[in-house]
Amino acid sequence: MTAGLTLDGLTVRRGERTLFRDLSARIPAGTALALTGANGAGKTTLLRIIAGLVRPEAGTVALDGQAAEASRAGALHLLGHLDGLKGGRRAGDELAFQARWLGADPSAIEDAVQRLALGPLLQIEVRRLSAGQRRRLAFARLLAAPRPLWLLDEPFAPLDARWRAELGQAMARHLADGGLVVAAVHDPLPVAAATLDLGGLA
């Protein structure tokens, strides 16, 4: 899928506080990186920098050697604390809209629905789903429209043990296909992962 992700000399400040300085890392294809550290250490901010949504004070991010934000945008999925789903839409309509916008075809969407057992939920408004059900719906976009880099912010927090295991298997398949995962976590990922500790204040 990709040759890898490179973070080079990243420095980020929030107000008067430096979150991290001169941060560098190389994440090869087929690798998961777990971002750890206290609340406020900059884990979410780093994910947003990699996605091109936040500019660092210094340093660069490159995917496959391409540093421009526009070149990364079509090569990644960002799944944040908020699932990015429109509450008033039925779950099936919301998934179809978002997945097709991301380039998925109907058969890929149906496959994601089957893998995540979303069929019984498709006629329900998103706002009526539980947090875990919404997270499964959000993950379906990643499965339906494959992109090499997954940026995940506490991805398993709302999920029960069954779905943590199932989505852990999906993550393992993504890595086996040469994908990348960078995840902000407090608990260990269900796949082998390198760790980047951002420290920070408790």
Side-chain angles (χ1 to χ4, degrees):
M1 276 189 173
T2 179
L5 175 70
T6 302
L7 314 179
D8 186 16
L10 294 177
T11 296
V12 175
R13 295 178 61 83
R14 181 181 293 157
E16 297 300 314
R17 186 164 69 93
T18 299
L19 295 181
F20 43 83
R21 183 185 301 278
D22 198 28
L23 186 151
S24 297
R26 167 72 179 164
I27 305 101
T31 301
L33 178 68
L35 305 178
T36 62
N39 292 335
K43 300 185 295 295
T44 297
T45 299
L46 181 55
L47 292 177
R48 291 172 62 81
I49 288 170
I50 295 171
L53 300 176
V54 173
R55 290 184 180 275
E57 186 173 286
T60 60
V61 176
L63 182 64
D64 276 346
Q66 301 296 315
E69 287 108 357
S71 69
R72 298 198 304 272
L76 62 85
H77 285 295
L78 173 63
L79 179 55
H81 284 296
L82 300 177
D83 295 314
L85 302 167
K86 190 169 183 178
R89 276 192 179 139
R90 291 183 303 177
D93 295 337
E94 180 68 354
L95 175 60
F97 172 79
Q98 293 207 15
R100 287 173 182 167
W101 185 76
L102 292 168
D105 60 42
S107 63
I109 297 171
E110 178 59 27
D111 183 61
V113 167
Q114 294 296 324
R115 286 170 64 182
L116 298 179
L118 294 171
L121 307 178
L122 296 184
Q123 300 304 314
I124 302 174
E125 288 185 341
V126 170
R127 65 187 173 194
R128 299 185 182 279
L129 301 178
S130 71
Q133 290 169 338
R134 290 196 303 272
R135 184 52 55 99
R136 283 159 51 202
L137 187 66
F139 257 107
R141 297 174 301 193
L142 279 65
L143 303 184
R147 292 184 172 184
L149 176 57
W150 290 3
L151 303 175
L152 310 175
D153 201 347
E154 292 294 336
F156 301 115
L159 298 172
D160 61 25
R162 173 195 173 185
W163 289 110
R164 287 186 182 214
E166 180 65 32
L167 288 167
Q169 292 176 16
M171 185 181 292
R173 288 190 292 267
H174 177 67
L175 295 171
D177 289 339
L180 287 160
V181 173
V182 181
V185 296
H186 287 291
D187 299 317
L189 288 172
V191 294
T195 300
L196 179 59
D197 187 1
L198 298 182
L201 299 175

